[in-house]
Amino acid sequence: MTILQPGPLSTVQDLGREGCQSMGFSVSGAMDARALRIGNLLLGNPEGAAAIEMTMAGMTVEFTSDAVIALTGADMRPTLNGAPMPRCTAVYVHGGDTLAMGAAASGCRGYLCVAGGIDVPVVMGSRSTNLKCGLGGFEGRKLASGDWVPYAAALRNTAGRCYAPDEYPDTVTLRAVPGPQDDAFTEKGLADFFGETYTVTPSSDRMGARLEGPAVGTRGKPDIISDGIAAGSVQIPASGKPIVLMADRQTTGGYAKIATVLSCDLWRLAQARPGTKIRFERVTLAAAQKLRARAEKEYRRLAQGKGWSHL
């Protein structure tokens, strides 16, 4: 495909560059892993095949060869040759067709998945773009007008397969396990974090979601000896305002972490636009493991061809 208009931030992403954090490289990958996985499964791709992630607004592209595509994630009001195109549906496109998307009407990040996957070089085990390091993806950078992006041959034609799009409410509840440094916070600080409402700020990005709301009280200074950062770690800096660390998070950090958001809930935060209200719900580790297993079961059903609708 040829990029005619790239949107504000469009990058190639898969499920991330695992196993490289010990060398200082972020995992990167899709912010909304659920949207990426469902888009790929709609097309018969491996769940982690590379796709294009678009932020806040979509692209305009011209296909240079036939393909089957699916748009998942945010509703960017797509049109194909000027006619409305359904989301979360495998659609056959021809060489010369033009796909256009605008500003997201709901949600924050959209995904353009192509049967066969976006065919850029694998770097350190992943096709994901790491913008800070300038590696992976399409020449290590965001897409620009005039770029020609290749995709691999489709494994099979699944045109007509569809799935109900996710909804993105104005208030989102994120389930979280306390810790690993929850003992660094006062009882009131913990009660505020799990009881109050926070707001996603415009300074949020792929590295982390910065939240505005009641300051979380600590027993002393929030600094700790730097340790590893997991996806969904909630750091509390000196301001007391939570930061939920996301796909492009740093590999280590020196602020105490009050909780960790469940991996199966992070897609909700990835789709939260500035102004979205966030609440945290305390869950146990055992409950978190069961919830993750339930989410993974859904993907296995879809991979087996179960649970789809058809046009």
Side-chain angles (χ1 to χ4, degrees):
M1 72 185 81
T2 299
I3 309 299
L4 303 180
Q5 204 287 332
L9 178 61
S10 298
T11 59
V12 176
Q13 301 291 345
D14 56 20
L15 288 179
R17 187 166 284 107
E18 299 286 349
C20 298
Q21 285 183 278
S22 63
M23 297 181 283
F25 291 96
S26 300
V27 174
S28 300
M31 287 280 283
D32 182 349
R34 173 178 167 82
L36 178 77
R37 295 172 76 175
I38 289 175
N40 279 321
L41 289 169
L42 274 166
L43 301 171
N45 289 344
E47 293 178 36
I52 298 176
E53 177 184 274
M54 303 162 286
T55 304
M56 293 304 295
M59 308 179 298
T60 299
V61 305
E62 179 180 334
F63 294 95
T64 53
S65 62
D66 293 1
V68 183
I69 65 170
L71 293 170
T72 57
D75 179 5
M76 294 179 169
R77 299 171 290 184
T79 61
L80 185 64
N81 300 325
M85 178 183 151
R87 297 161 55 217
C88 284
T89 301
V91 175
Y92 195 94
V93 297
H94 299 85
D97 284 352
T98 299
L99 171 67
M101 290 167 276
S106 66
C108 182
R109 293 176 172 87
Y111 294 83
L112 170 54
C113 302
V114 184
I118 300 297
D119 192 16
V120 294
V122 175
V123 179
M124 300 169 67
S126 172
R127 292 183 167 89
S128 284
T129 308
N130 183 323
L131 291 170
K132 290 189 175 181
C133 294
L135 62 81
F138 189 93
E139 300 178 357
R141 59 173 173 83
K142 66 180 184 179
L143 296 174
S145 297
D147 287 340
W148 183 78
V149 182
Y151 37 86
L155 300 178
R156 63 180 184 271
N157 182 357
T158 61
R161 177 184 282 180
C162 51
Y163 191 76
D166 287 319
E167 297 182 357
Y168 309 116
D170 294 331
T171 299
V172 175
T173 297
L174 302 175
R175 295 164 294 190
V177 176
Q181 286 101 29
D182 51 309
D183 57 348
F185 301 91
T186 64
E187 289 299 321
K188 183 179 185 304
L190 284 162
D192 286 344
F193 178 76
F194 283 109
E196 298 290 343
T197 300
Y198 292 86
T199 303
V200 177
T201 69
S203 60
S204 301
D205 56 19
R206 280 183 49 86
M207 184 174 179
R210 294 179 177 271
L211 307 181
E212 184 59 49
V216 177
T218 60
R219 297 184 184 278
K221 292 183 178 180
D223 302 334
I224 60 170
I225 297 174
S226 293
D227 63 1
I229 299 291
S233 292
V234 186
Q235 283 189 331
I236 307 295
S239 67
K241 305 303 174 69
I243 304 171
V244 186
L245 296 168
M246 303 292 281
D248 283 350
R249 64 194 179 277
Q250 68 273 34
T251 56
T252 62
Y255 291 124
K257 296 174 286 296
I258 192 170
T260 305
V261 176
L262 272 58
S263 59
C264 56
D265 276 5
L266 283 177
W267 68 272
R268 303 180 192 277
L269 184 57
Q271 294 294 353
R273 304 150 67 96
T276 301
K277 302 299 182 183
I278 303 294
R279 295 184 65 88
F280 295 95
E281 177 186 336
R282 186 196 304 248
V283 297
T284 65
L285 178 58
Q289 292 169 335
K290 289 180 180 178
L291 289 165
R292 183 179 186 277
R294 185 186 303 168
E296 291 299 316
K297 184 177 180 180
E298 178 188 11
Y299 299 128
R300 288 197 300 272
R301 286 184 66 248
L302 295 176
Q304 294 165 0
K306 303 173 183 177
W308 300 115
S309 300
H310 291 83
L311 293 179

